[in-house]
Amino acid sequence: MINFNVPPFVGNEMEYIRQAIAAEKICGDGGFTRRCNEWMEQHFKARKVLLTTSCTHALEMAALLADIKEGDEVILPSYTFVSTGDAFALRGAKLVFVDIRPDTMNIDEKLIEAAITDRTRAIAVVHYAGVACEMDTIMEIARRHHLLVVEDAAQGVNAFYKGRALGTIGDFGCYSFHETKNYSMGEGGALLINREQDVERAEIIREKGTNRSKFFRGQIDKYTWVDIGSSYLPSDMNAAYLYAQLEHADEINDRRLAVWHQYDEGLRPLRDAGLIEQPFVPEGCVHNAHMYYIKAKDLEERTRLLAFLKQRGILSVFHYIPLHSAPAGQKIGRFFGEDRYTTKESERLARLPMYYSITDEDVRTVIDGIYAFYGRKAEG
Ligand SMILES: *Cc1c(COP(=O)(O)O)cnc(C)c1O
């Protein structure tokens, strides 16, 4: 049996968790949390990084910091995880869904401007599979219309656009360290704050609306309730698990990229024969092998493919039911313009097993399974 995902484990996680416990500081903002924040600030050249309890919560913090209010509109793709919508819907915003590009499955930057109204406050982009959206165009549109940009970079940790880390380009960036992501802490995430003016308020919102972070730095002599907020800081034990992984980030990234290329090269003859489509990575994007997917002809073929692989003990999955066709999405949002690609392309996409510890042999088995489905013999 070949799993779809196995959480990454590189070796030092147990020892670091033990150290967190030995330090008698297992709540939030202990030594490992600080080390994770600093590691990301250095490696991704981020102004400020705050570890959070999830990417969902980082998105909620971004919506709070952006002061999204009842009746505001937020532009986002419908092809995304529910959290991208939830965060803004919780503030009372209307979601305006824009179609995706079929090549990257990212929001189509050329359709954004027409969706802007006088109620639009923000654009939330999703870097699907760790492949960047067309950020130069998106930032230019946002600046011209005075809109904030939130990057849902849940899948984009350690991926880059024209040399800049995903999550550091918009006003806010949101990472996920869920067990299905490239680097993990079980449940967890981070908020990247790219404007100096938001840093202090971000610390306050994350600490239940108090200025406790300032208090711990000795900048004030007692802390108090100064704003609305919630509890968005993870336990230092979880941060300890993550820190072990960040120390081995290159190793994890290299292994995932090797798996990605094994799939890509192994399946190329099927693409050349016109039987499947493969992922596309635009010029200037350095991806992180978060995902390997193929596209079948249509929904019916994909359904048969997933069932065929499952019979062979291979767990491959589909992705996402577009938000605008889900019951909540219909209530909270509307699709702007024509749904040319969102539904059609989402129905064709199949994600293949992809994780740090998968073996070359297992990848070979998956490739062979796909050849068998299409009635072809794998080469090599
Ligand atoms: C995984 C994911 C999330 C949610 O991450 P959590 O850390 O589980 O909250 C949000 N958006 C996208 C695009 C994701 O892939």
Side-chain angles (χ1 to χ4, degrees), residues 53-57 59 80-81 83-84 126 152 154-155 175-178 180-181 187-189 290 319-320:
T53 29
S54 63
C55 180
T56 303
H57 281 167
L59 287 160
T80 182
F81 189 58
S83 301
T84 328
V126 180
D152 180 341
Q155 304 177 10
Y175 287 169
S176 175
F177 303 114
H178 184 261
T180 53
K181 299 305 200 287
E187 299 277 355
H290 172 64
H319 227 188
Y320 304 108

Side-chain angles (χ1 to χ4, degrees), residues 29 36 60 124 143 183 199 212 231 250 272 295 358 371:
D29 281 338
C36 288
E60 285 180 23
R143 292 302 172 240
Y183 312 98
V199 171
R212 190 158 136 183
S231 187
D250 286 344
D272 293 343
K295 287 183 191 167
I358 195 168
Y371 274 87

